[in-house]
Amino acid sequence: MKIALTKKQPWKKWTAIASFTVLMAYAGYSVSGKATKSIALSQLSFQTVVQGNLDIYANAYGEFASAKERLLTAPALGKVSEILVRPGTKVTPNTVILHLSNPKLVQEVNAANGQLAQQLAQREAFKYEQQSERLNYQGRIADIEAEIEKAQLELSVNKNLMDLGVSSKIELQRAKLAVKQESKKLGFENKKYKQFIEMQGYQLTQRDITIKQQRAQVSLLEQQLDDMKVKAGIKGSLQTLEIELGQSVQLGQSLAKVGSDEELIARLRLPQNQADQIDINAPVLIDTQKGIIKAHITRIESVVSNGSVLAEAVIDEALTSNARPALSISAQVFVQHQQGVSYIEQVPGLRPRSKQSLFVRDTNNTLIQRDITFGELSKNKLIITSGLTAGEQLVSSDTQSYNKYQQLLIIE
């Protein structure tokens, strides 16, 4: 039997191998991301790079606080008998916040007033006693002066009789001695009277000092008693109340805190990496959601907490209608002025102080993926430190699904 053999056709084998190779190469090329992908222009939005001078502002957050605060403390031992005002209420300096009761303090005030009245009465009595003593001194002085006149009269008579030869010489000497003794007695009495007047003045001064001290004690106790009606002391609002009705309090214990409403400051948390570049008196723009208020930095703390530094700013303009203590605010704090800076408008997806791979529009109507480094964000202006030049256009729309391609072809 004769077996017929078919002739091999090698060209079919090579055709199949070539087709498989081309298919695998295209698949590999597509997977490797080297292929050119097309994207419609209508799906894209762009940001053009601008170059110019730019004021750098740091973003800060914080809240308003009272520029004036007053801590109310207990003026003496007592018990809270009445609470008249609750936190959040508007107050004036004379607004009574609460009443404290202390019966012992009332007794001390009454006792001090009684002692003062007694001292005043004793002073008046002492003054009349001294007036009587002065009259006694003046009476004795008058008696001595009368005796002197009598002795002088006798002396004169004895002189006349001596001239007539009637009186003896010894009588004349006795009359002279009497005048001399009474004159000395008058001098001593006048000196004693003068010393008495001086001593009386010192005694009255001493009593006046005692009365003055007692008046001060009475005034202090009465002030303590009046302070048991705890008043706000300043205009503003009651911020905290730290006691309850019926609670006993100690001298100096904290009762409440009052803060001003119209005089506010801003307490801001500055980014740690920018705080050391911000100067005292740096301008601040505060956003209260109802307007922008100008302010300036007055104090910057050196302690870093949770990546931020606390600063205070004084308000330079009228407050907005919603401004109040503890209101959350955002602010822009001036850092420095830079010249010849490249920047774009901030859009979602672009991160300050980062390096990102983004698409840039080329002159050949293509998008080229490029590494771009961003700097600070200032008032919605994002600074470009490298990767772009002025006039270039950056794709600002979402192109994450095309990140595996190095370039994209724009289709009209």
Side-chain angles (χ1 to χ4, degrees), residues 21 37 75 87-88 90 108 133 174 178 184 188 210 223 234 263 268 270 278 290 309 319 324 336 350 352 363 380:
T21 301
K37 182 70 175 178
K90 302 286 186 180
E108 290 177 354
E133 286 292 331
R174 285 177 181 174
K184 285 184 177 181
F188 288 140
T210 303
Q223 186 62 50
I234 61 174
E263 297 182 59
L268 304 173
L270 305 176
I278 297 174
K290 281 197 173 183
V309 176
L319 296 170
R324 64 182 186 279
Q336 60 181 335
L350 303 183
T363 54
N380 209 41

Side-chain angles (χ1 to χ4, degrees), residues 138-172:
Q138 291 171 359
R140 289 195 293 270
I141 290 172
D143 290 341
I144 295 172
E145 289 175 343
E147 289 295 328
I148 290 175
E149 290 180 358
K150 181 180 178 182
Q152 288 176 342
L153 179 60
E154 290 180 357
L155 178 60
S156 177
V157 171
N158 284 316
K159 282 183 178 181
N160 292 332
L161 292 175
M162 186 72 178
D163 292 339
L164 296 173
V166 176
S167 176
S168 63
K169 186 176 181 180
I170 192 164
E171 292 296 331
L172 182 62

Side-chain angles (χ1 to χ4, degrees), residues 203-334:
Q203 290 175 334
L204 285 173
T205 300
Q206 184 178 6
R207 289 178 180 270
D208 288 339
I209 292 174
T210 303
I211 291 174
K212 184 178 181 181
Q213 291 175 340
Q214 187 62 28
R215 287 186 190 276
Q217 180 66 15
V218 170
S219 178
L220 176 63
L221 291 173
E222 287 180 342
Q223 186 62 50
Q224 282 186 326
L225 186 60
D226 185 65
D227 288 343
M228 300 296 273
K229 299 176 182 178
V230 182
K231 299 179 181 179
I234 61 174
K235 183 180 179 181
S237 63
L238 181 63
Q239 295 183 347
T240 61
L241 187 65
E242 302 175 15
I243 44 85
E244 298 177 355
L245 191 65
Q247 178 180 337
S248 297
V249 297
Q250 303 295 318
L251 173 64
Q253 181 175 338
S254 177
L255 303 177
K257 186 173 73 171
V258 179
S260 58
D261 284 337
E262 297 177 357
E263 297 182 59
L264 302 180
I265 59 173
R267 290 178 178 166
L268 304 173
R269 289 175 287 277
L270 305 176
Q272 177 185 354
N273 63 324
Q274 291 180 299
D276 58 348
Q277 304 175 46
I278 297 174
D279 298 327
I280 299 297
N281 294 323
V284 181
L285 300 176
I286 298 175
D287 187 358
T288 67
Q289 304 301 319
K290 281 197 173 183
I292 303 297
I293 302 174
K294 292 183 179 180
H296 66 275
I297 297 292
T298 57
R299 186 173 70 89
I300 302 175
E301 293 186 356
S302 57
V303 179
V304 179
S305 178
N306 297 325
S308 62
V309 176
L310 183 63
E312 287 185 358
V314 171
I315 312 302
D316 297 328
E317 294 183 334
L319 296 170
T320 55
S321 60
N322 64 332
R324 64 182 186 279
L327 176 69
S328 296
I329 55 175
S330 60
Q332 299 281 335
V333 182
F334 177 79

Side-chain angles (χ1 to χ4, degrees), residues 14-279:
W14 290 110
T15 300
I17 292 173
S19 299
F20 179 75
T21 301
V22 171
L23 182 62
M24 292 301 293
Y26 178 78
Y29 180 75
S30 299
V31 172
S32 64
K34 301 300 181 180
T36 299
K37 182 70 175 178
S38 299
I39 185 171
L41 179 62
S42 59
Q43 299 179 13
L44 300 174
S45 57
F46 300 92
Q47 288 290 333
T48 302
V49 179
V50 179
Q51 188 173 34
N53 300 333
L54 188 65
D55 288 335
I56 308 301
Y57 284 81
N59 292 322
Y61 300 91
E63 61 280 330
F64 280 135
S66 298
K68 294 181 180 179
E69 293 181 334
R70 186 169 187 263
L71 181 66
L72 306 180
T73 59
L77 295 174
K79 180 177 289 187
V80 182
S81 60
E82 191 175 9
I83 296 177
L84 304 175
V85 176
R86 294 291 178 178
T89 306
K90 302 286 186 180
V91 295
T92 64
N94 293 323
T95 301
V96 178
I97 306 297
L98 55 93
H99 286 170
L100 297 175
S101 62
N102 185 337
K104 184 179 179 181
L105 181 59
V106 176
Q107 292 177 354
E108 290 177 354
V109 171
N110 293 334
N113 276 314
Q115 188 173 357
L116 176 61
Q118 183 180 3
Q119 290 176 353
L120 289 171
Q122 289 175 349
R123 184 187 185 281
E124 291 300 313
F126 175 77
K127 186 167 65 173
Y128 285 116
E129 288 176 1
Q130 297 305 306
Q131 287 178 355
S132 178
E133 286 292 331
R134 287 199 300 271
L135 290 175
N136 290 336
Y137 271 104
Q138 291 171 359
R140 289 195 293 270
I141 290 172
D143 290 341
I144 295 172
E145 289 175 343
E147 289 295 328
I148 290 175
E149 290 180 358
K150 181 180 178 182
Q152 288 176 342
L153 179 60
E154 290 180 357
L155 178 60
S156 177
V157 171
N158 284 316
K159 282 183 178 181
N160 292 332
L161 292 175
M162 186 72 178
D163 292 339
L164 296 173
V166 176
S167 176
S168 63
K169 186 176 181 180
I170 192 164
E171 292 296 331
L172 182 62
Q173 293 295 328
R174 285 177 181 174
K176 289 181 178 180
L177 180 60
V179 172
K180 184 177 180 181
Q181 288 177 340
E182 292 299 327
S183 296
K184 285 184 177 181
K185 187 185 291 185
L186 179 61
F188 288 140
E189 202 64 26
N190 281 327
K191 186 178 293 185
K192 286 172 62 178
Y193 181 63
K194 182 179 180 181
Q195 291 177 348
F196 172 76
I197 295 297
E198 291 179 354
M199 182 181 66
Q200 184 186 34
Y202 289 133
Q203 290 175 334
L204 285 173
T205 300
Q206 184 178 6
R207 289 178 180 270
D208 288 339
I209 292 174
T210 303
I211 291 174
K212 184 178 181 181
Q213 291 175 340
Q214 187 62 28
R215 287 186 190 276
Q217 180 66 15
V218 170
S219 178
L220 176 63
L221 291 173
E222 287 180 342
Q223 186 62 50
Q224 282 186 326
L225 186 60
D226 185 65
D227 288 343
M228 300 296 273
K229 299 176 182 178
V230 182
K231 299 179 181 179
I234 61 174
K235 183 180 179 181
S237 63
L238 181 63
Q239 295 183 347
T240 61
L241 187 65
E242 302 175 15
I243 44 85
E244 298 177 355
L245 191 65
Q247 178 180 337
S248 297
V249 297
Q250 303 295 318
L251 173 64
Q253 181 175 338
S254 177
L255 303 177
K257 186 173 73 171
V258 179
S260 58
D261 284 337
E262 297 177 357
E263 297 182 59
L264 302 180
I265 59 173
R267 290 178 178 166
L268 304 173
R269 289 175 287 277
L270 305 176
Q272 177 185 354
N273 63 324
Q274 291 180 299
D276 58 348
Q277 304 175 46
I278 297 174
D279 298 327

